[in-house]
Amino acid sequence: MNNNILIIGASGQLGKYFVNLLSKDNNVIASDIIPNSTLDCQFQLLNILDYNSLKKTIKTNNINQIYNLAAILSAKGESFPYKTWILTTEGFLNVVKVSIECNVDRIFWPSSIAVFGLNSNLEHVLNDVPMLPSSMYGVSKLACEKLMNYYNSKKLLDIRSLRFPGIVSASKPGGGTTDYIVDMLYSALSGNEYKCFLDKDRILPMMHIDDSVQASIKLMNIDREKISINSPYNITSFNITPDSWRNIIDTLGYDLKVLFEKDFRDKIAQSWPRNIDDHLFRNDVGWKPKYDSKKTAKSIIDAINS
Ligand SMILES: NC(=O)c1ccc[n+]([C@@H]2O[C@H](COP(=O)([O-])OP(=O)(O)OC[C@H]3O[C@@H](n4cnc5c(N)ncnc54)[C@H](O)[C@@H]3O)[C@@H](O)[C@H]2O)c1
């Protein structure tokens, strides 16, 4: 076994995919404030905001890598702005503090395309651009990007990060602006009409769960010298609108009815990238996605059905 890894926030949409891949070569402890008996590894109830319990878990298990996935996502975060700010920023700083005190080697912490804003040239978003995020989720992620840059550039820690776009998986998402992409697949399979909260032509970047998890682990496993920046990398796979996604689902043999009724989430999505430039990550790390939009839809439908 290579590493002793603690995953925080493992009961969410992405957690089990990180557990599955990381458990192949490492000792993994998954944790969350929500109990989870379905994961294929040791599980522990742990609140990232409880510093003493976090430190005890890390010391007891000799943890040398942390994956911090704890979050309140963009749409849900607008109902709980203070809680979102505290969870993201204090959670991040607790992981930083404990990692310095306990000599944790590496931290993975995903950022999000929510850090961008209307001033980020949304048609072609480079890695380093002006950012004025529109949601508290984006504001708190951007604050942690600055903290990450601070700790990396002072060589106090080794924090690695990707700005995930919307992730398509068989696990249901937990309150994000891109949730429709998974929810539509579930509606297609159940034969129910889907009420879409985004404009039918709202284009957003997305990626298959396997691509996002593999990219993250690849980033965690390369030598630090290959990483040319101290802040997160852009990463993306394909850009799609709700209407094109429905068309793809139709070509796979489903007759999905979609009612388009925009709500506040469409306003958030308007301030997010329509196209992301991730060549820096691809060049530094030697990565490219395996799944385009059609392959993604087919693979996730198969996974839900299995
Ligand atoms: N899912 C996406 O499309 C997407 C896109 C961009 C970025 N991300 C990022 O990836 C990471 C994982 O996302 P996800 O989709 O699995 O999110 P999720 O909302 O599905 O899961 C987050 C988990 O964090 C847990 N959590 C909340 N408060 C906690 C606390 N105090 N202590 C410990 N755990 C706590 C929740 O119980 C939940 O299980 C997050 O950092 C998120 O911002 C996700």
Side-chain angles (χ1 to χ4, degrees), residues 168-169 181 185 189 207-208 238 240 244-252 254 291-305:
V168 198
S169 72
I181 194 108
L185 298 175
L189 290 173
M207 74 191 305
H208 189 288
F238 56 90
I240 197 146
S244 320
W245 188 241
R246 185 209 29 202
N247 282 335
I248 288 176
I249 294 170
D250 282 357
T251 64
L252 295 173
Y254 298 89
Y291 292 87
D292 62 14
S293 52
K294 218 171 176 171
K295 262 175 94 175
T296 298
K298 184 163 182 345
S299 140
I300 301 300
I301 284 178
D302 290 348
I304 296 171
N305 274 332

XYZ file of all heavy atoms in Angstrom, residues 168-169 181 185 189 207-208 238 240 244-252 254 291-305:
280
model
N -20.562 14.425 -14.502
C -21.654 13.501 -14.839
C -21.326 12.131 -14.263
O -20.300 11.537 -14.611
C -21.850 13.374 -16.367
C -23.219 12.781 -16.670
C -21.676 14.710 -17.065
N -22.208 11.644 -13.375
C -21.965 10.343 -12.736
C -23.300 9.648 -12.528
O -24.361 10.237 -12.718
C -21.288 10.546 -11.382
O -22.220 11.067 -10.461
N -27.721 17.641 -15.600
C -27.061 16.715 -16.521
C -27.228 15.258 -16.050
O -27.386 14.347 -16.865
C -25.569 17.101 -16.717
C -24.934 16.402 -17.912
C -24.713 16.876 -15.496
C -24.672 17.265 -19.080
N -30.827 12.116 -17.031
C -30.604 10.693 -17.324
C -31.549 9.835 -16.486
O -32.154 8.885 -16.981
C -29.144 10.304 -17.047
C -28.087 11.012 -17.890
C -26.683 10.620 -17.438
C -28.252 10.688 -19.373
N -34.650 7.345 -17.852
C -34.767 5.923 -17.502
C -36.096 5.606 -16.828
O -36.634 4.514 -16.991
C -33.613 5.515 -16.586
C -32.250 5.483 -17.275
C -31.137 5.252 -16.288
C -32.223 4.404 -18.341
N -17.882 17.086 -17.536
C -16.997 15.936 -17.773
C -17.496 14.679 -17.070
O -18.236 14.740 -16.095
C -15.547 16.252 -17.399
C -15.204 16.325 -15.964
S -13.541 17.033 -15.742
C -12.552 15.986 -16.746
N -17.070 13.536 -17.613
C -17.410 12.229 -17.058
C -16.678 12.033 -15.735
O -15.504 12.399 -15.615
C -16.981 11.156 -18.077
C -17.451 9.773 -17.754
N -16.919 9.030 -16.731
C -18.385 8.992 -18.339
C -17.509 7.841 -16.698
N -18.408 7.795 -17.662
N -16.222 18.466 -22.317
C -17.091 18.907 -23.413
C -18.045 20.006 -22.938
O -18.355 20.093 -21.756
C -17.882 17.726 -24.002
C -18.719 16.955 -23.003
C -20.033 17.304 -22.751
C -18.188 15.873 -22.312
C -20.802 16.599 -21.835
C -18.950 15.160 -21.380
C -20.262 15.529 -21.143
N -21.843 21.704 -23.381
C -23.149 21.226 -23.859
C -24.286 22.078 -23.294
O -24.159 22.653 -22.208
C -23.330 19.726 -23.501
C -24.458 19.105 -24.317
C -23.561 19.511 -22.009
C -24.245 17.682 -24.682
N -29.155 20.099 -26.221
C -28.316 19.116 -26.930
C -28.190 17.829 -26.112
O -28.103 16.739 -26.665
C -26.903 19.623 -27.173
O -26.908 20.941 -27.518
N -28.144 17.975 -24.788
C -28.053 16.783 -23.923
C -29.312 15.924 -24.087
O -29.254 14.713 -24.188
C -27.855 17.221 -22.470
C -27.566 16.128 -21.478
C -28.319 15.786 -20.386
C -26.418 15.248 -21.451
N -27.707 14.768 -19.688
C -26.549 14.419 -20.312
C -25.296 15.090 -22.275
C -25.601 13.436 -19.976
C -24.358 14.111 -21.945
C -24.521 13.298 -20.820
N -30.476 16.607 -24.157
C -31.721 15.866 -24.380
C -31.663 15.147 -25.725
O -32.077 13.988 -25.846
C -32.915 16.827 -24.343
C -34.214 16.061 -24.462
C -35.378 16.774 -25.090
N -35.089 17.788 -26.053
C -35.939 18.746 -26.364
N -37.092 18.818 -25.731
N -35.630 19.630 -27.282
N -31.116 15.818 -26.753
C -31.020 15.173 -28.079
C -30.147 13.933 -28.034
O -30.460 12.918 -28.650
C -30.434 16.153 -29.114
C -31.491 17.127 -29.576
O -32.685 16.821 -29.512
N -31.067 18.306 -30.008
N -29.042 14.038 -27.300
C -28.141 12.872 -27.179
C -28.885 11.719 -26.508
O -28.811 10.563 -26.944
C -26.862 13.246 -26.390
C -25.983 14.143 -27.255
C -26.099 12.009 -25.953
C -24.739 14.654 -26.577
N -29.614 12.043 -25.455
C -30.370 10.999 -24.733
C -31.385 10.356 -25.695
O -31.546 9.132 -25.716
C -31.069 11.598 -23.486
C -30.008 12.055 -22.479
C -32.022 10.596 -22.857
C -30.530 12.873 -21.314
N -32.020 11.184 -26.518
C -32.981 10.654 -27.509
C -32.301 9.688 -28.474
O -32.858 8.645 -28.818
C -33.632 11.796 -28.302
C -34.721 12.486 -27.481
O -34.978 12.031 -26.341
O -35.296 13.477 -27.965
N -31.082 10.048 -28.942
C -30.399 9.172 -29.902
C -30.045 7.822 -29.274
O -29.768 6.856 -29.979
C -29.085 9.797 -30.449
O -28.181 9.953 -29.359
C -29.306 11.119 -31.146
N -30.049 7.769 -27.928
C -29.760 6.483 -27.265
C -31.034 5.655 -27.070
O -31.024 4.620 -26.409
C -29.074 6.735 -25.924
C -27.677 7.383 -26.034
C -27.134 7.757 -24.662
C -26.698 6.446 -26.745
N -34.234 6.870 -25.969
C -35.210 7.301 -24.961
C -36.024 8.459 -25.538
O -35.549 9.180 -26.405
C -34.493 7.753 -23.684
C -33.716 6.634 -23.054
C -32.389 6.399 -23.430
C -34.301 5.782 -22.120
C -31.669 5.352 -22.878
C -33.586 4.737 -21.563
C -32.272 4.530 -21.948
O -31.566 3.488 -21.411
N -13.794 10.584 -22.440
C -15.229 10.579 -22.759
C -15.677 11.887 -23.393
O -15.466 12.960 -22.810
C -16.048 10.378 -21.481
C -15.905 9.007 -20.869
C -14.868 8.740 -19.980
C -16.810 7.984 -21.159
C -14.732 7.488 -19.402
C -16.675 6.730 -20.582
C -15.636 6.489 -19.711
O -15.497 5.255 -19.139
N -16.320 11.799 -24.569
C -17.032 12.963 -25.112
C -18.477 12.908 -24.598
O -18.827 12.042 -23.777
C -16.945 12.992 -26.650
C -17.607 11.771 -27.286
O -18.351 11.047 -26.584
O -17.386 11.532 -28.488
N -19.336 13.797 -25.103
C -20.684 13.882 -24.544
C -21.488 12.594 -24.773
O -22.157 12.092 -23.870
C -21.423 15.091 -25.132
O -21.351 15.071 -26.537
N -21.397 12.053 -25.978
C -22.199 10.867 -26.290
C -21.740 9.646 -25.488
O -22.543 8.905 -24.906
C -22.087 10.577 -27.795
C -23.390 10.103 -28.347
C -23.400 10.016 -29.827
C -24.763 9.419 -30.193
N -25.036 9.449 -31.577
N -20.407 9.465 -25.445
C -19.867 8.339 -24.674
C -20.221 8.478 -23.194
O -20.476 7.498 -22.499
C -18.326 8.318 -24.805
C -17.821 7.344 -25.859
C -16.325 7.460 -26.013
C -15.576 6.458 -25.166
N -14.123 6.486 -25.412
N -20.233 9.732 -22.732
C -20.570 9.977 -21.324
C -22.014 9.564 -21.045
O -22.287 8.824 -20.093
C -20.379 11.475 -20.971
O -19.003 11.804 -21.147
C -20.797 11.777 -19.551
N -22.940 10.027 -21.895
C -24.350 9.708 -21.666
C -24.555 8.194 -21.659
O -25.215 7.639 -20.770
C -25.211 10.368 -22.743
N -23.947 7.514 -22.628
C -24.139 6.067 -22.739
C -23.562 5.362 -21.508
O -24.204 4.499 -20.911
C -23.479 5.559 -24.032
C -23.728 4.109 -24.227
C -23.487 3.604 -25.608
C -23.802 2.122 -25.747
N -23.939 1.356 -24.518
N -22.352 5.769 -21.151
C -21.686 5.087 -20.033
C -22.439 5.297 -18.714
O -22.576 4.370 -17.912
C -20.243 5.597 -19.950
O -19.828 5.773 -18.653
N -22.961 6.502 -18.481
C -23.647 6.742 -17.202
C -25.023 6.057 -17.190
O -25.439 5.504 -16.163
C -23.772 8.263 -16.898
C -22.372 8.910 -16.851
C -24.512 8.495 -15.582
C -21.415 8.372 -15.812
N -25.695 6.038 -18.340
C -26.967 5.287 -18.396
C -26.701 3.811 -18.098
O -27.412 3.176 -17.311
C -27.650 5.476 -19.776
C -28.301 6.868 -19.827
C -28.705 4.397 -20.022
C -28.966 7.233 -21.121
N -25.656 3.259 -18.685
C -25.306 1.850 -18.413
C -25.013 1.654 -16.926
O -25.423 0.657 -16.328
C -24.074 1.419 -19.235
C -24.399 1.308 -20.727
O -25.608 1.340 -21.067
O -23.457 1.213 -21.536
N -24.298 2.615 -16.348
C -23.938 2.481 -14.919
C -25.184 2.561 -14.031
O -25.301 1.814 -13.056
C -22.942 3.579 -14.536
N -26.122 3.447 -14.373
C -27.348 3.543 -13.559
C -28.144 2.238 -13.679
O -28.703 1.738 -12.709
C -28.228 4.745 -13.997
C -27.493 6.074 -13.753
C -29.563 4.745 -13.254
C -28.180 7.304 -14.352
N -28.155 1.684 -14.889
C -28.929 0.462 -15.137
C -28.308 -0.781 -14.507
O -29.002 -1.774 -14.296
C -29.050 0.218 -16.653
C -30.242 0.974 -17.225
O -31.215 1.215 -16.523
N -30.146 1.347 -18.497
